[in-house]
Amino acid sequence: ELALQDRGDWSVRQETFNSLCRKLHFRPVVDLMASRLNKKLPKFYSFRPDPEAVDFDALSDDKDWGAEKAYIAPPEHLVGKVLAKVQRDKAKVLAVVPRWPKARWWGLLKSLTTASTTLHMSDETIQVGQGQDPRKWPGHCAVAVILDGSRRSP
């Protein structure tokens, strides 16, 4: 099935997602990078065409993230592109990304963040598909952040 072929196929567990939304006081309405197998919300964008998805390729220039509050847990190699899109579209997004202070995109992440919490990557908090395993990220940690693209970055 196509949904299992993405190398970024991982997600937080539904209970973890619900807890993050409560803790960060944020109610997204669309999941920007999901599959029908790991979506956290009824409305979602997939990587490839999917009859259950609203659309696919949420990173394309013709998609405007500024219209609705969103959730995203991107594959690690797309974090920089996601942050640039949040900023460009002046979007408000709950994002789960690796906790990597030495990453090139970390400064931009911090400048767009309005609230955050640490998420330890374990079998209790995430589910791994056939893609990357975030439990192997350095420190086994991610951050769940509320990003506001209308904030000015340094």
Side-chain angles (χ1 to χ4, degrees):
E1 178 164 57
L2 281 177
L4 291 175
Q5 293 178 354
D6 293 316
R7 67 182 175 116
D9 183 28
W10 74 275
S11 69
V12 298
R13 293 195 178 278
Q14 188 68 48
E15 305 81 36
T16 304
F17 171 77
N18 295 341
S19 175
L20 292 172
C21 291
R22 281 191 306 274
K23 186 181 253 186
L24 296 171
H25 308 289
F26 193 80
R27 291 208 170 271
V29 296
V30 61
D31 190 334
L32 294 171
M33 284 189 181
S35 73
R36 71 181 81 140
L37 302 177
N38 68 15
K39 66 184 179 181
K40 299 297 161 248
L41 298 158
K43 186 176 179 181
F44 71 98
Y45 284 79
S46 60
F47 281 100
R48 295 182 180 89
D50 180 325
E52 293 184 28
V54 172
D55 207 340
F56 69 99
D57 190 13
L59 281 171
S60 69
D61 290 337
D62 65 327
K63 308 297 188 310
D64 181 5
W65 293 4
E68 300 176 297
K69 287 183 176 180
Y71 166 72
I72 194 165
E76 60 195 60
H77 67 282
L78 292 178
V79 174
K81 288 181 180 182
V82 164
L83 295 175
K85 180 114 174 109
V86 165
Q87 192 173 40
R88 191 170 49 252
D89 289 356
K90 296 183 175 24
K92 291 196 176 171
V93 176
L94 165 57
V96 176
V97 299
R99 186 177 179 276
W100 290 345
K102 293 184 179 180
R104 286 194 321 248
W105 44 261
W106 189 257
L108 179 56
L109 176 91
K110 296 303 278 180
S111 73
L112 297 172
T113 297
T114 61
S116 68
T117 189
T118 299
L119 176 63
H120 295 279
M121 307 307 261
S122 69
D123 290 339
E124 291 80 41
T125 59
I126 64 162
Q127 56 193 39
V128 178
Q130 294 183 0
Q132 66 182 254
D133 185 346
R135 294 171 300 186
K136 295 179 181 174
W137 290 346
H140 312 287
C141 280
V143 288
V145 293
I146 303 300
L147 303 173
D148 184 347
S150 66
R151 290 173 56 108
R152 292 196 176 270
S153 62

